[in-house]
Amino acid sequence: MTTINKICCIGAGYVGGPTMAVIAKKCPHINVTVVDMNQQKIDLWNGNNLDELPVFEPGLKEIVAKTRNKNLFFSTDVTTAIKDAQIIFISVNTPTKTYGAGKGMAADLKYIELCARQIADIATEEKIVVEKSTLPVKTAQTIKTILENSGNKFKFQILSNPEFLAEGTAIADLENADRVLIGGDHHTKEGFEAMNALSSIYENWIPRERIIMTNLWSSELSKLTANAFLAQRVSSINSISALCEATGADVNEVARAIGADSRIGSKFLKSSVGFGGSCFQKDILNLVYICRTLNLNEVADYWQGVIDINDYQKRRFAENIIHTLFNTVAGKKLTFLGWAFKKVTNDTRETAAMYVADYLIEETAFVHTYDPKVTETQILTDLNYIGTRSEELNKKHLKIETDPYEACRNSHAIAILTEWDEFVTYDWERIYQNMKKPAFLFDGRNLLDKDKLTKIGFVVYQIGK
Ligand code: UDX
Ligand code: UDX
């Protein structure tokens, strides 16, 4: 088997960046180049200020500090990177399509195709191409067809190696992965060798028994299925939260009681204002779309239900705020603590916060938002992305604050959208004193101590209680 000592990754985003950094750390004998078409992003990856890396992940900057320009390189020179690498990872984004067939459902594969064509044109020898992006089943075949019929017509091995890291814990997830999944053409000698070559990289730190080899399609489908199952658990507990509120049960107690059954398990049972992130919704929509195109309508409906409950949960939270504030939020100042889709990340893709804000602003409320990691530009971009009203109007109704106490001053109600640890440590007495009375608090993450806040004087609503 050829020894692997040069790899590259196309896409320096949330997945490509941290994954390649960990490979560089664990494999000092491998030269790792991460390329991206976005010059500004590459400049940040190469910048002197490690606090400004484009991706915020605990432990990442320390790894970048140790490996960058030793065996980890960031560049926009895609051509050289492809030419030099023995293994090319594709980790570009695959958003939900916003046009044409499958609009709003299917994954947009235009970036993947672009990468495949680039590789076909540039490669001057055989390569192993690894899909890291989440892709619909059978995308590998598309990549293979493009690679083998355009450019220099070399024989390529295509592997699927989906990433299961969760944001905020990416480095720990990568360093101590439950499993590494490698899908490939294991019935042919070349396919098998390619799978082993990729496996040899991970074997530098992952025990061999945790490396699962499957055929290509199983690997692609496993990634979609894993995310669908995780999201399904969140929607399941969120659906029960509505029932708890209507009946006086406590969703945390229910979650604890059912999670103690080892067959169910305790993880991913935290009721919330709704799941967000770049993967869950996108991957389920993709799964639903695949099922529909295969005429598996009952299966499609089943998974669509997971998304429907998530939308319901976000809407329910916003409606509850309006209802509680005497059926009107018109002209009122409301405060959002948290905007990121979960704590310890600056990522806001599909965050519940933007949909709840949109709903309340439609009722002409003024939403003041504080998030410890998300920038003002990002927050406004998110609201504009929904496209309900003009950017000017959004700017008028959504104010971004840098001080949480100022954000809460003279506010009618506070809503917790992200479970940032620092919110627990605030001086809630002081916050209460400076708010309009009665002061309401809507805890969309069940983060705070309800009894303590009630004693201070807050009227507290928590999901599922
Ligand atoms: C990843 C996966 O790839 C996606 O399939 C999964 O569902 C979510 O996680 P992620 O790393 O989060 O995507 O995306 P992003 O942070 O947007 O990074 C992708 C990068 O690829 C961007 O920096 C973009 O500039 C780059 N890119 C995109 C290219 O360099 N070339 C292209 O042709 C397209
Ligand atoms: C997810 C998968 O966990 C990961 O394996 C995959 O590679 C990418 O998608 P990520 O989106 O980064 O990772 O975050 P995750 O921790 O899974 O949370 C997703 C969303 O669900 C967040 O909004 C989170 O707040 C929410 N969630 C999670 C809950 O509301 N309750 C829970 O019990 C768990």
Side-chain angles (χ1 to χ4, degrees), residues 166-179:
E167 287 173 33
T169 52
I171 302 301
D173 293 344
L174 285 160
E175 291 193 339
N176 190 25
D178 285 345
R179 79 312 207 175

Side-chain angles (χ1 to χ4, degrees), residues 245-303:
E245 286 169 32
T247 57
D250 178 331
V251 77
N252 285 351
E253 291 179 353
V254 175
R256 206 172 124 219
I258 64 166
D261 184 328
S262 61
R263 293 169 302 176
I264 296 176
S266 60
K267 291 181 181 161
F268 265 74
L269 285 181
K270 237 184 140 2
S271 189
S272 66
V273 55
F275 60 73
S278 70
C279 285
F280 282 2
Q281 172 160 314
K282 172 176 71 93
D283 289 355
I284 296 177
L285 285 173
N286 202 344
L287 194 63
V288 169
Y289 181 72
I290 294 169
C291 293
R292 293 237 186 271
T293 56
L294 295 170
N295 247 330
L296 301 171
N297 285 314
E298 285 76 3
V299 185
D301 291 346
Y302 176 74
W303 288 108

